[in-house]
Amino acid sequence: MRTGLLCLLFCLLAGVTRADDGLAALAKQPRWHALLHINPGATLRDRHRSYVDDDNFFLAEHGADDPLAELRASVAALREPGAERCRFPARYRFIATSLGWHDPQPFAHCADYLQWRASVHAKRAVLVFPAAYLNSPSSMFGHTLLRLDQGEDSAVWLSWAVNFGAMTSEQDNSLFYMYRGLAGGYPGQFNLVPYLKKIQEYSHMESRDMWEYSLDLNQAQIDWIIDHLWELKEINFDYYFFDENCSFRLLELIEVARPGTGVLDELRFAELPVNTVRSLDQRGLITERHYRPSKQVELEAFSEGLSADERSLARALADDPGLADSDAFRAYPAERRALMAQTAYRYVRFVHRKEDRSEAVAGQSFALLRLISTLPAVAPPRATGKAPPESGHGSQMIAAAAGQLGGDDFGEFSYRLTYHDLLDNSLGFPEGAQIQGLGLTVRSTESGAPELEELQLVGIRSFSPRDQFAKPLSWYVEGGLERAWAGRRRLVRYLQGGAGASWRYGGWQPYLLASARAENNSEFSEVVTPGGGGEAGMLYHAGRWQWQLSTAGHYFTNDVYRHRSRLAVQYALSQQQGLRAQVEREGWRGGDDTEFKLQWRWYYD
């Protein structure tokens, strides 16, 4: 009798041990880690624990740190129908499949989930990349979101958009957003909205090109994403502007759909949207691309099809549709009149896109549409020549240079965390745009030890050319530490910025800017010395060649005057390498110095 009881007890203990061993192995599965958003080491924060910063997401007390404890709690909570099963359909699917549970209607009691699931269904997943928008700090590097299409041929305005973003308030200004975004001061959440709203926001309102990438995900994998999105409703994550951002979180969803892709295996100091596209492309997850030009690009395509006189007449026609009866307009062939009328109509729609429709604007639009209807149909010009963003150079850069300043030779090493300047290879980047962050340059001369030459915290420039149809503001802001003359070349702290205009004539782009500078200089008596001045320059692009000629000067309130002139040229040796030469002359009251530098640059992700 005693022997039988001991055998029974041993069998029970052995069964419990085997079951526990099975759960331990299951808790190590990539999909379970993906469902819990466990950091595999992709970022330095929260290594090997969950990125989710919300207790409501976990069933175990230490579930964020212990995948096995969370699995045990989930098995206990989801075994029988109840509220927890309704909250975690993707978890239930994983556990039920792994442990062989058989329930023909596991969510029959989950009315809210079933109603939501009936409205959110998809047969195709598309990664969408709205291009960089420098006038918004949250979008200056671009953005990524996921589109869920109901079918291969379904209209995209019926699709859903999956977006991850910081939970900001309307009172947050741009500088405050940047600070809190860098410091992790915002929570981030996933949200699901009609894709039509995103088209209106990005393409129409912000005039941003959009690239759409169909993903190699089958129906079952797409269903994993949708079920998991239900689990993430109103669940908070930490949001960091550079790494744990919109693009990074979408990669986590891809891991839920296809565990083991490796998209989160590498350590990331910055996760830019373009790097997300490259990561998916390199792993064969992108099957096709589609370019959706912004309304501004479409307008430019129409405008470029006109001669200078026709552009002027189209612009006047937009203000006064009655000019359609003028001799000047009727002198053109019907096809040219049709193209001018289409251009005028698109201009009216573009320039008033952010306003409530007024009676006057509605009247203009109707008159132009009526004119268009009387003219031959013309095929809209295609916006061509755009290279996809992932075709550009890497977002990080290291460089080695040699040169001469005055009579001293020097060698130089530079590193830039991100992203692109005006002389880098422009393939895949917005023209006339520069976004630089965390750039470091160390210089060594024959007569001295290596010294910090420059530490650029931020350097943003937006040179959008003006024409008859668009009058954008060109502007720049930059700040950090740099060597400047003040009795001798010394390291100064500065912040400067300005605004003005630029134009385009073929490959040439001249610009004029008024600017202001605030400088902290140990040679100056004031802690911060302000100054004002301006900058004039010319950009030129021709294939692999990029040229810039510029001169800038500032007059400070302590009667110090300083100016710099520069001629720089870069040749793209390849997608990831460039050779740059520049001559720079710095002048001040009573003296000047000339510097020549030849630099090799290597770009990488």
Side-chain angles (χ1 to χ4, degrees):
M1 181 70 176
R2 184 178 299 175
T3 302
L5 290 174
L6 288 174
C7 289
L8 179 60
L9 180 59
F10 176 80
C11 291
L12 289 174
L13 290 173
V16 170
T17 301
R18 284 194 299 270
D20 196 61
D21 289 344
L23 288 183
L26 196 59
K28 296 177 182 179
Q29 290 294 313
R31 177 161 277 141
W32 182 245
H33 280 223
L35 289 171
L36 297 183
H37 294 263
I38 300 295
N39 175 8
T43 62
L44 295 176
R45 292 180 299 272
D46 298 322
R47 291 175 70 91
H48 307 298
R49 74 184 306 270
S50 177
Y51 286 116
V52 178
D53 188 32
D54 196 320
D55 291 340
N56 292 327
F57 186 71
F58 302 101
L59 298 175
E61 182 178 358
H62 300 291
D65 302 285
D66 191 341
L68 177 57
E70 185 65 18
L71 179 60
R72 287 172 177 154
S74 297
V75 170
L78 304 179
R79 187 181 299 274
E80 300 296 333
E84 301 300 351
R85 186 183 289 187
C86 299
R87 287 181 55 204
F88 297 110
R91 282 198 205 183
Y92 174 83
R93 178 180 171 187
F94 172 79
I95 293 172
T97 302
S98 301
L99 299 183
W101 295 354
H102 299 288
D103 187 341
Q105 293 183 316
F107 307 112
H109 61 294
C110 305
D112 290 342
Y113 164 70
L114 292 176
Q115 182 180 4
W116 179 86
R117 195 63 177 83
S119 64
V120 180
H121 52 89
K123 294 184 178 179
R124 181 174 62 177
V126 179
L127 182 77
V128 181
F129 179 96
Y133 182 59
L134 270 63
N135 291 330
S136 171
S138 63
S139 300
M140 66 174 59
F141 294 105
H143 183 60
T144 48
L145 60 140
L146 193 65
R147 192 183 79 210
L148 300 176
D149 294 344
Q150 294 185 13
E152 292 290 334
D153 300 321
S154 63
V156 295
W157 53 80
L158 299 177
S159 300
W160 290 97
V162 181
N163 187 65
F164 179 85
M167 305 301 292
T168 62
S169 66
E170 295 181 357
Q171 289 73 34
D172 292 348
N173 58 42
S174 296
L175 291 177
F176 190 61
Y177 170 83
M178 288 288 289
Y179 167 73
R180 291 192 66 182
L182 290 170
Y186 289 113
Q189 289 186 5
F190 283 94
N191 59 77
L192 198 66
V193 297
Y195 184 61
L196 179 60
K197 290 185 177 180
K198 290 300 178 182
I199 293 178
Q200 294 170 337
E201 176 183 349
Y202 294 129
S203 180
H204 298 186
M205 304 300 287
E206 295 182 352
S207 295
R208 298 167 67 177
D209 292 337
M210 297 174 69
W211 290 88
E212 300 170 345
Y213 303 88
S214 297
L215 300 180
D216 185 17
L217 298 177
N218 60 35
Q219 186 64 61
Q221 292 163 344
I222 293 172
D223 288 341
W224 276 108
I225 291 177
I226 297 175
D227 284 344
H228 187 54
L229 286 171
W230 173 263
E231 299 177 339
L232 296 176
K233 287 181 63 176
E234 300 180 359
I235 295 297
N236 289 326
F237 292 74
D238 287 330
Y239 178 89
Y240 289 90
F241 186 72
F242 272 120
D243 50 8
E244 295 181 39
N245 52 25
C246 61
S247 295
F248 185 81
R249 294 288 175 241
L250 290 186
L251 290 179
E252 292 185 80
L253 290 184
I254 302 301
E255 272 293 294
V256 169
R258 286 183 58 171
T261 59
V263 293
L264 296 176
D265 288 351
E266 299 175 358
L267 178 64
R268 286 166 165 77
F269 292 104
E271 179 61 29
L272 303 181
V274 67
N275 291 346
T276 295
V277 178
R278 287 198 189 108
S279 181
L280 296 174
D281 191 31
Q282 290 166 2
R283 289 165 174 81
L285 288 166
I286 293 175
T287 59
E288 60 180 352
R289 295 165 178 79
H290 175 69
Y291 171 56
R292 186 183 297 276
S294 69
K295 292 301 179 184
Q296 181 174 354
V297 169
E298 289 180 346
L299 174 60
E300 290 173 355
F302 271 91
S303 173
E304 289 171 358
L306 303 174
S307 67
D309 290 340
E310 289 172 336
R311 278 195 293 271
S312 297
L313 188 53
R315 177 65 182 83
L317 186 67
D319 291 335
D320 181 11
L323 289 175
D325 296 326
S326 67
D327 293 338
F329 185 74
R330 290 185 174 276
Y332 286 92
E335 291 78 7
R336 305 306 297 174
R337 281 183 280 150
L339 190 58
M340 285 187 281
Q342 287 273 11
T343 304
Y345 172 72
R346 288 174 180 272
Y347 170 75
V348 170
R349 295 297 303 271
F350 171 74
V351 76
H352 297 290
R353 68 194 185 281
K354 295 183 179 181
E355 306 169 2
D356 293 333
R357 182 68 64 91
S358 67
E359 187 174 337
V361 172
Q364 281 179 289
S365 298
F366 180 74
L368 290 170
L369 283 174
R370 187 170 55 186
L371 172 62
I372 291 171
S373 69
T374 66
L375 295 169
V378 292
R382 294 186 61 187
T384 59
K386 292 280 187 177
E390 72 275 13
S391 65
H393 62 74
S395 56
Q396 298 186 68
M397 184 273 298
I398 59 173
Q404 187 176 75
L405 174 61
D408 290 336
D409 295 331
F410 65 82
E412 206 173 69
F413 172 81
S414 300
Y415 167 77
R416 184 183 69 198
L417 176 64
T418 186
Y419 158 66
H420 177 77
D421 72 20
L422 293 174
L423 291 175
D424 289 332
N425 188 350
S426 63
L427 183 72
F429 290 86
E431 294 183 10
Q434 169 180 297
I435 308 174
Q436 293 194 109
L438 299 179
L440 170 74
T441 298
V442 176
R443 176 176 292 186
S444 177
T445 65
E446 294 178 325
S447 57
E451 292 183 325
L452 179 64
E453 179 69 15
E454 181 181 18
L455 176 62
Q456 186 177 59
L457 299 179
V458 63
I460 304 172
R461 288 180 174 247
S462 176
F463 292 161
S464 299
R466 300 164 69 92
D467 58 23
Q468 287 103 324
F469 298 98
K471 309 293 182 184
L473 184 71
S474 292
W475 59 273
Y476 82 101
V477 61
E478 58 190 36
L481 290 82
E482 67 175 4
R483 295 279 170 181
W485 184 265
R488 61 180 176 84
R489 292 189 82 246
R490 64 179 68 242
L491 204 60
V492 303
R493 290 143 292 279
Y494 76 100
L495 177 66
Q496 70 182 48
S502 67
W503 302 264
R504 179 171 288 131
Y505 304 99
W508 300 91
Q509 187 173 354
Y511 61 89
L512 288 171
L513 303 168
S515 65
R517 179 179 173 105
E519 185 171 306
N520 172 244
N521 189 324
S522 58
E523 183 69 15
F524 296 165
S525 58
E526 298 177 349
V527 176
V528 177
T529 304
E535 179 178 346
M538 177 85 72
L539 299 173
Y540 179 68
H541 167 70
R544 294 191 174 199
W545 292 94
Q546 306 281 345
W547 297 75
Q548 183 181 23
L549 175 65
S550 66
T551 183
H554 290 94
Y555 184 85
F556 293 89
T557 55
N558 60 357
D559 202 35
V560 170
Y561 173 71
R562 189 189 301 133
H563 66 87
R564 286 179 178 172
S565 297
R566 184 174 76 146
L567 172 62
V569 57
Q570 177 162 325
Y571 178 74
L573 298 170
S574 66
Q575 179 187 13
Q576 304 295 4
Q577 295 187 66
L579 189 65
R580 180 176 299 191
Q582 74 175 45
V583 178
E584 183 174 278
R585 188 173 186 86
E586 182 179 15
W588 57 90
R589 292 188 188 278
D592 56 63
D593 262 334
T594 300
E595 174 183 296
F596 169 77
K597 181 165 63 176
L598 184 64
Q599 184 184 64
W600 169 79
R601 300 164 75 89
W602 177 51
Y603 308 88
Y604 66 99
D605 289 324

